[in-house]
Amino acid sequence: PSGTPVSSQYLGTLKVLEDKRMQKSSTEFDKADGLRAAVFQNWLEKKRTFLLELKRIEKKKAENLRSNAEKEEAVKREEAIASFEAWKKKKGREAKKLSEKKKLEELKKKKAAEQNEEKTEAAQKAFEKWKERKAEYLREQSRKEKQSERIRKKKEEELVAEKKRDSMSAVEKWNEKKEEYIKQKKVEKILERRKQEIQQAKKEEKNKKAMEEYERWLEKKERREQLEKKQKKLQAVRGDEVSSPWSPP
């Protein structure tokens, strides 16, 4: 049923009944109307009861929803707390592991530093021993080199003396060869000079002949040019005396 107010004859009749039942009508119509009013009154009572029950149910639903929401919130809060506690434990374990790892690394570094220090000391001792052996070796090498140098100088002196003896005889032989070579070169120079003089004479003779030939050719050329000039003059004079009716191109 809707909650809209009802305005009808039934309400009017109900209103009459609530106002301490006005005078009763003995007519059949009034009886029927009263009956209908009583039925309507009963319906209104049921409706009010139904609405109250409906409100109670809705209120209970709302309380259940609120209770469920509070329970869910509590569960979520407990889960969050449990997750946080688990996270804290995990972080604690990780921090513990990290701390142990850091301690282990520091221990390794310390051990490595100690080993390095031991290696450095051992290397220093080995270096000192090596320096001593090196110095002894250098002294021995210096002694051997000095001895070798003395032997080498002695050999060089002997070799120089031997070369000097050989060079004396070689110089004598070379001087002999040099004199022979100089004589041969002088003869070659004389022959070369004679050859150049002959070639120069041939060249001068050739140039002289060429000059004479050129002078003869020049004289011939001059005579030919003079003859051609004379012929041209004669032809010009004859041309003036008798003009030809036709002249070739």
Side-chain angles (χ1 to χ4, degrees):
S2 63
T4 57
V6 179
S7 177
S8 66
Q9 187 177 2
Y10 298 114
L11 290 175
T13 305
L14 184 58
K15 194 173 182 182
V16 170
L17 290 172
E18 287 176 352
D19 291 340
K20 204 55 176 157
R21 291 157 180 101
M22 297 178 66
Q23 51 188 352
K24 296 180 180 179
S25 176
S26 59
T27 63
E28 196 67 28
F29 178 77
D30 291 337
K31 287 181 180 180
D33 194 32
L35 181 60
R36 284 193 293 271
V39 172
F40 183 70
Q41 182 69 26
N42 187 23
W43 176 80
L44 284 176
E45 289 293 332
K46 287 181 178 179
K47 178 182 177 183
R48 187 176 65 80
T49 303
F50 174 76
L51 291 174
L52 289 174
E53 184 66 18
L54 186 62
K55 287 181 180 180
R56 187 185 65 78
I57 291 170
E58 289 177 353
K59 184 178 180 181
K60 190 173 182 180
K61 283 183 179 180
E63 289 176 353
N64 290 335
L65 288 173
R66 186 170 59 254
S67 176
N68 291 334
E70 289 176 354
K71 288 179 180 179
E72 288 178 0
E73 187 68 24
V75 170
K76 288 180 180 178
R77 188 164 52 251
E78 289 176 358
E79 289 177 352
I81 291 170
S83 298
F84 178 72
E85 292 295 331
W87 177 81
K88 273 206 311 182
K89 288 179 181 179
K90 185 178 178 181
K91 283 294 179 182
R93 288 194 299 270
E94 290 179 355
K96 188 176 180 181
K97 288 181 180 178
L98 188 63
S99 177
E100 291 175 356
K101 185 178 179 181
K102 192 173 181 181
K103 288 180 181 178
L104 185 61
E105 288 178 354
E106 289 177 354
L107 186 63
K108 286 181 179 179
K109 287 180 180 179
K110 186 177 179 181
K111 190 174 181 180
E114 291 175 354
Q115 290 177 352
N116 287 333
E117 189 175 356
E118 290 175 359
K119 287 180 180 179
T120 304
E121 291 178 357
Q124 186 67 28
K125 291 179 181 178
F127 178 71
E128 294 295 333
K129 289 181 180 178
W130 175 84
K131 275 206 309 183
E132 292 176 0
R133 290 197 300 269
K134 181 74 174 177
E136 182 64 26
Y137 171 78
L138 291 175
R139 285 193 295 271
E140 183 65 21
Q141 284 294 109
S142 178
R143 186 184 64 78
K144 288 181 179 179
E145 286 176 0
K146 287 179 180 178
Q147 185 178 1
S148 299
E149 185 67 18
R150 287 194 298 269
I151 295 170
R152 186 182 64 78
K153 283 184 178 181
K154 187 176 180 181
K155 286 183 178 180
E156 283 182 355
E157 290 172 357
E158 292 175 355
L159 186 62
V160 166
E162 186 178 356
K163 284 183 177 180
K164 190 175 181 181
R165 289 192 298 269
D166 293 339
S167 64
M168 292 295 291
S169 60
V171 166
E172 292 175 357
K173 291 179 181 178
W174 181 81
N175 286 330
E176 292 175 358
K177 288 183 179 180
K178 181 181 178 183
E179 289 177 0
E180 185 179 352
Y181 175 78
I182 289 171
K183 290 177 182 178
Q184 186 179 355
K185 281 294 177 181
K186 284 180 179 180
V187 173
E188 288 178 357
K189 284 183 179 180
I190 292 169
L191 293 174
E192 183 67 24
R193 188 164 56 251
R194 290 283 301 277
K195 184 178 178 181
Q196 290 178 357
E197 289 174 355
I198 292 169
Q199 288 178 352
Q200 184 66 26
K202 287 181 179 180
K203 187 177 179 182
E204 289 177 355
E205 184 67 24
K206 188 176 180 181
N207 290 336
K208 185 178 179 182
K209 288 181 179 180
M211 184 60 68
E212 290 175 354
E213 187 69 26
Y214 175 71
E215 288 176 355
R216 285 194 295 271
W217 174 82
L218 196 59
E219 288 176 359
K220 287 179 181 180
K221 182 181 177 185
E222 288 177 355
R223 286 198 297 272
R224 187 172 59 251
E225 289 177 352
Q226 289 175 2
L227 183 61
E228 287 176 357
K229 285 180 181 180
K230 288 178 180 180
Q231 288 176 356
K232 286 181 181 180
K233 286 180 180 180
L234 289 173
Q235 287 176 2
V237 171
R238 290 176 183 177
D240 292 338
E241 291 176 355
V242 180
S243 59
S244 176
W246 176 84
S247 60

